[in-house]
Each structure stands twice: as C-alpha cells, then as structure tokens.
Amino acid sequence: MAKAFKFGLKGITGYLEPAERDLLRGLLDDVISMLDSDARDNEDPLAALIGLDMDVKKPSDRALLRLLPNVLKDDDDGSLEFRQLTERSVRESKVGALRATAMGLDKDELVLSLEDATRWSMALNDVRLVLSERLDIRDEADAEHIHSMQDWSQAEDVESYLALVYNFTTWLQESLVQAMISARQAKS
C-alpha cells in the first residue's frame, strides 16, 4: 500500500507498490499521448525552433482543453493568437514533466529532490485535470460525491473506478505538496 510523501534526511520520500506504480505510469502515458503532437511534414524549421504553431486550434476534447485552456475568456481570436505563440512550448513542458515522473517510477521507494517533486506535482496535477474532466466534476458537490468513493471493492463501473483513481492521485499530490512545503521551510 502506498505511503504518503514526507520530507526527511534523504529528501522527499514516498512509497508505491508495483501495481500502484503501473497504474500511475499508465495514467501518465495516457496524458502524454493526449499532449504529444505529431511531427508535421513540411513544417517551417524556424517556426518550430522558436515555438510557433500557426496551425494550432482550440482543442475539441474537453480534457485536453483543461490542460491547454484559452487564456482570454471572451476573446476567441486573442486566445487563438496566444495559443499559436505558446502552445507548443506548454505542451513540451507538460510532456517533459510527465515523462520525467514516469521514469521516476522505477523503484518502490521514491526519493525526490525539490526539483523532481515540482515536476511530479505538475504531472500529477495534469493527470487529475484529465480525470476530473472525464468524471465531469464541475462544482464542490460533484467533488464531494467523487471523494465519497473510497472503497476499491465497490468499483462496479468505469465512473467509480475513475473516481477511486482520482482520489488516489489527489491524495498522492496532497502528500507531495505537504512534503514540499516542509522541505522549503527547512531550507529557510
């Protein structure tokens, strides 16, 4: 059974069973596949080098839109322009954190530096955003309903299973953030 992250002499440590690591690795890989854009043929190398993507569009998948939201609420044109300038680098940054986290799942006992923990927190947040969208969490009542599902033996359908996975990743991220706070306090 997983043990919460904590800060100690070795740094930020946690423990995950092999099945928990496999579950988390699968979730990370799923989000990576959502974000990883295919290499484009005939792409302008200079545009790719500086991160421009003039062909980018607002995502139609609501979960992907949660990861890559519009920056201007009531200005679709302005949001598209901003997306063209930044989305490639945002995707690359997210994929980098997700991949680094997945690579860190090679041992039961996890030992993270503060920098590693920051990447882990970003990756877990992205996983949770996708799961929350798939679970249609819109408000506090929806979140409370999902949080009330705690017993793995009662996972009867996809929604209850996803709710349990969401709760697990939430708990994992919360313990990681608390350990990061403790680490930062110890440094100051």
Side-chain angles (χ1 to χ4, degrees):
M1 178 129 110
K3 293 181 184 172
F5 282 101
K6 62 183 179 179
F7 174 69
L9 295 175
K10 291 195 262 182
I12 296 173
T13 60
Y15 177 85
L16 295 174
E17 294 281 339
E20 294 162 335
R21 288 184 287 126
D22 289 344
L23 170 67
L24 193 53
R25 190 177 292 111
L27 292 167
L28 294 164
D29 288 344
D30 288 347
V31 177
I32 289 168
S33 69
M34 290 176 68
L35 288 166
D36 219 2
S37 52
D38 298 326
R40 293 194 171 104
D41 294 332
N42 304 322
E43 184 175 39
D44 179 356
L46 180 59
L49 182 66
I50 61 174
L52 288 179
D53 190 349
M54 302 312 286
D55 297 326
V56 73
K57 293 178 178 40
K58 177 181 171 183
S60 58
D61 180 349
R62 288 183 356 197
L64 187 56
L65 186 58
R66 286 288 300 270
L67 296 174
L68 304 166
N70 279 340
V71 294
L72 303 170
K73 187 175 182 179
D74 296 321
D75 184 356
D76 289 339
D77 292 337
S79 288
L80 179 60
E81 185 177 337
F82 189 81
R83 188 177 293 282
Q84 291 169 335
L85 297 171
T86 63
E87 185 168 302
R88 179 188 307 259
S89 63
V90 170
R91 282 178 184 257
E92 289 170 356
S93 175
K94 287 178 176 292
V95 168
L98 290 157
R99 284 192 173 129
T101 301
M103 288 187 334
L105 291 169
D106 57 346
K107 296 184 234 173
D108 295 343
E109 185 177 12
L110 306 167
V111 180
L112 306 176
S113 68
L114 203 47
E115 186 178 300
D116 294 335
T118 301
R119 278 192 292 274
W120 270 69
S121 181
M122 291 169 50
L124 288 171
N125 189 62
D126 286 344
V127 167
R128 289 182 61 245
L129 284 172
V130 170
L131 288 170
S132 69
E133 192 59 45
R134 298 296 188 234
L135 288 164
D136 205 28
I137 298 174
R138 297 285 173 248
D139 55 29
E140 192 64 34
D142 294 339
E144 286 178 23
H145 171 70
I146 296 300
H147 186 65
S148 70
M149 298 181 198
Q150 296 291 326
D151 188 352
W152 287 91
S153 67
Q154 295 176 344
E156 302 167 346
D157 56 19
V158 171
E159 182 183 1
S160 59
Y161 178 75
L162 282 179
L164 291 164
V165 170
Y166 177 81
N167 289 335
F168 171 71
T169 56
T170 299
W171 169 81
L172 194 61
Q173 185 183 29
E174 285 175 357
S175 76
L176 177 59
V177 169
Q178 289 303 314
M180 290 169 67
I181 290 170
S182 296
R184 289 186 196 279
Q185 288 172 343
K187 284 189 169 195
S188 55

